[in-house]
Amino acid sequence: MSKEWEDLPGRSVRRMGREEERVWAEFYRAAGDPAVAAELIAHMDQDEQARRQHSGLYLRCRQSLRREKERRQRAQAAGKALRKLAWALLGKPLAAFLRAGRFCCDAGAALFGLRDEPAAGQLRKLGKRAAPAVPTAPAEAKAQAGSDGR
């Protein structure tokens, strides 16, 4: 008779079994969350018995991760399309408007002579470097003396 009592599970073992089943039932409900699904898959990849025992949960977690991946890809594609649309509606016209404004400013400056020829500016820079270190006052005096003597 004592052998029969030893074979029957004790209250604590039965309580643990019920608690374990309750936890697995919660996992079935939470398998739609990708973070929980990733944790369950990592656990089941290490524990073959749990994977065999809860194969439906394993497949549901895989499906949840696949759906999350597809959702992210759709969101990225939608974001890319939205950026292209914003560029087409705002960026291109603004860039064309700025280019036209720069062209008009350059054309007006060239038309009214507000800007020098690029070569003239470069010649002035070279002339400043090549100027002699001797003061120009004696050179001007000689030039004036030569014009008075005529």
Side-chain angles (χ1 to χ4, degrees):
M1 191 140 181
S2 65
K3 201 133 180 100
E4 291 173 8
W5 287 103
E6 288 176 7
D7 291 341
L8 291 175
R11 277 177 72 182
S12 62
V13 173
R14 284 182 294 192
R15 188 177 299 141
M16 254 181 27
R18 275 187 260 137
E19 184 65 24
E20 188 75 19
E21 288 302 316
R22 188 182 64 78
V23 169
W24 280 107
E26 286 179 25
F27 284 146
Y28 274 94
R29 279 186 235 114
D33 182 17
V36 174
E39 288 292 326
L40 285 171
I41 287 176
H43 171 71
M44 289 183 183
D45 282 342
Q46 294 174 354
D47 188 6
E48 284 291 324
Q49 182 184 0
R51 190 185 325 171
R52 258 185 277 121
Q53 197 172 16
H54 302 283
S55 61
L57 178 62
Y58 184 79
L59 293 174
R60 188 170 180 190
C61 290
R62 286 279 185 196
Q63 181 185 34
S64 175
L65 290 179
R66 192 170 32 258
R67 282 183 181 164
E68 175 66 14
K69 183 180 176 183
E70 290 170 355
R71 184 193 66 80
R72 283 188 182 175
Q73 287 175 344
R74 281 192 309 271
Q76 285 178 347
K80 186 177 180 181
L82 190 59
R83 282 189 298 275
K84 283 186 175 184
L85 180 65
W87 172 250
L89 292 177
L90 299 172
K92 279 190 175 185
L94 183 61
F97 179 72
L98 291 175
R99 269 195 313 270
R102 271 188 245 119
F103 173 77
C104 289
C105 288
D106 290 343
L111 183 64
F112 295 115
L114 298 177
R115 291 194 184 159
D116 289 336
E117 182 69 28
Q122 193 67 19
L123 283 174
R124 271 197 305 277
K125 286 180 187 176
L126 290 174
K128 288 180 183 177
R129 285 189 217 155
V134 180
T136 57
E140 289 177 7
K142 287 180 185 177
Q144 285 181 356
S147 63
D148 291 338
R150 264 200 248 179

